[in-house]
Amino acid sequence: MQQPYNVGDIVYIFYRNPHIQDVTNIQEAAVVHHPEQPEELALFLFETYYPISNDMLIFSSEMAAEQAYHQYFH
């Protein structure tokens, strides 16, 4: 689902709770410039920057994320 993103885009990802490993939620994240590598984009989520990689499932709408969530987890 990799597509070009622009700074300021709001996207949706699956986020696994680091304290309870079997809990996954859909979370909204913002596309931003990575503060340590300004030429690269990152996702800003919970005050943390995550470099965008091909290993991430990123959805442009909450509805698309919910459909995939139900497909993978139900």
Side-chain angles (χ1 to χ4, degrees), residues 1 12-14 25-27 57-74:
M1 271 193 193
Y12 299 86
I13 62 169
F14 295 159
N25 295 305
I26 296 170
Q27 293 294 322
L57 286 175
I58 302 173
F59 302 92
S60 59
S61 74
E62 188 172 15
M63 180 181 287
E66 287 178 8
Q67 289 172 345
Y69 180 88
H70 289 291
Q71 179 181 354
Y72 291 119
F73 297 104
H74 290 274

Side-chain angles (χ1 to χ4, degrees), residues 19-73:
H19 305 290
I20 307 169
Q21 288 297 307
D22 62 344
V23 174
T24 300
N25 295 305
I26 296 170
Q27 293 294 322
E28 184 178 278
V31 177
V32 298
H33 287 290
H34 195 290
E36 295 172 4
Q37 300 167 340
E39 68 283 352
E40 293 185 24
L41 296 179
L43 296 180
F44 187 66
L45 175 71
F46 299 125
E47 299 186 28
T48 302
Y49 296 92
Y50 297 92
I52 295 175
S53 73
N54 289 331
D55 295 336
M56 296 177 133
L57 286 175
I58 302 173
F59 302 92
S60 59
S61 74
E62 188 172 15
M63 180 181 287
E66 287 178 8
Q67 289 172 345
Y69 180 88
H70 289 291
Q71 179 181 354
Y72 291 119
F73 297 104

